[in-house]
Structures are given as structure tokens and as C-alpha cells.
Amino acid sequence: MEMTALNKLGIDTEEGLAYCADDPEFYEEMLTEFIADGCSAYSDLNKHFEKCDWKHYGITAHTIKSTSKMIGAKALSEKARELETACKEENGSAIIAEHDSFTAELAKLLNGLRTITETVTE
């Protein structure tokens, strides 16, 4: 796995590897799982957003917070934490204000990871 390419996506690979017991193969598995789960989470976020279902939006944000932290995507994890908190506080205006930038950041990370992992497996 090309760590420099991951760093360019804003991923702290040292932190991600540390969460994976410094096992590069396990880290690659976590990245692959993040892509699969992230695509589903992206869809769920938008579905819950459209319905103003902040409870389930918060649950999805919590999942993204945890999984993005595990791979070293600290900025995304922090945004997810903020949105999770807004959901717990039922602060719809904060969720509405941040949703587009949050989902855009998630999509950018997922697309970048797909590009990197496809390059590795070809």
C-alpha cells in the first residue's frame, strides 16, 4: 500500500497502523472494509438527512467517527463526532449547515481510497 498516497488524502497512516497493531496487511483490510462500509454509510446519511431523522443520522455519524479514526482519517472522524453531538442535542440547524461538506469530504476520501486500492490490486 502506498502510504504517501494515503497521506495526501489526509490520512495519518502511522495512527491507522497503530490501531491495526502495526500490521500492514490488517491495515489494508481495514481500508478495504472502510470503503465498503463508507459507501453504505454515505447513502444512509443522505437518506436520514432527507427525512430529518437525526437519531439514525447520529448513529451513522458515530460509525463513521469510529471507523475513520481507525484508519487515521482524523479530520473526518472529528467532523463525524461534531455531527453526532449535534444529533444528540437535536440541533438540526447544525446538522443542516454541515451535512454537505461532511458528505463531500466522505465521498472524496472514499473515491481516493478506491483509486489507491484499485491501483494496488491491478
Side-chain angles (χ1 to χ4, degrees):
M1 177 73 49
E2 179 56 46
M3 298 301 177
T4 304
L6 292 172
N7 294 138
K8 288 180 182 177
L9 289 175
I11 295 176
D12 182 337
T13 53
E14 287 183 22
E15 184 171 309
L17 277 166
Y19 279 113
C20 294
D22 290 318
D23 182 340
E25 288 179 16
F26 180 50
Y27 185 52
E28 284 187 39
E29 288 175 29
M30 290 299 295
L31 290 168
T32 301
E33 190 173 314
F34 180 84
I35 294 168
D37 293 346
C39 291
S40 176
Y42 179 86
S43 175
D44 289 346
L45 282 172
N46 286 307
K47 177 179 69 176
H48 301 316
F49 183 78
E50 289 173 13
K51 295 178 181 178
C52 296
D53 181 353
W54 304 144
K55 176 183 176 188
H56 289 100
Y57 191 101
I59 292 168
T60 304
H62 173 80
T63 301
I64 295 168
K65 174 187 76 175
S66 301
T67 56
S68 58
K69 186 171 186 169
M70 288 284 299
I71 65 165
K74 295 190 275 188
L76 184 66
S77 179
E78 179 57 26
K79 274 192 174 183
R81 184 193 65 73
E82 291 169 4
L83 282 165
E84 179 186 19
T85 299
C87 289
K88 287 179 183 176
E89 296 171 352
E90 298 180 9
N91 186 348
S93 61
I95 300 162
I96 291 166
E98 295 299 321
H99 173 77
D100 288 343
S101 66
F102 178 60
T103 54
E105 187 173 334
L106 176 59
K108 181 180 175 185
L109 179 60
L110 291 169
N111 289 330
L113 285 172
R114 267 195 222 106
T115 300
I116 293 167
T117 57
E118 287 171 3
T119 302
V120 170
T121 58
E122 290 178 350

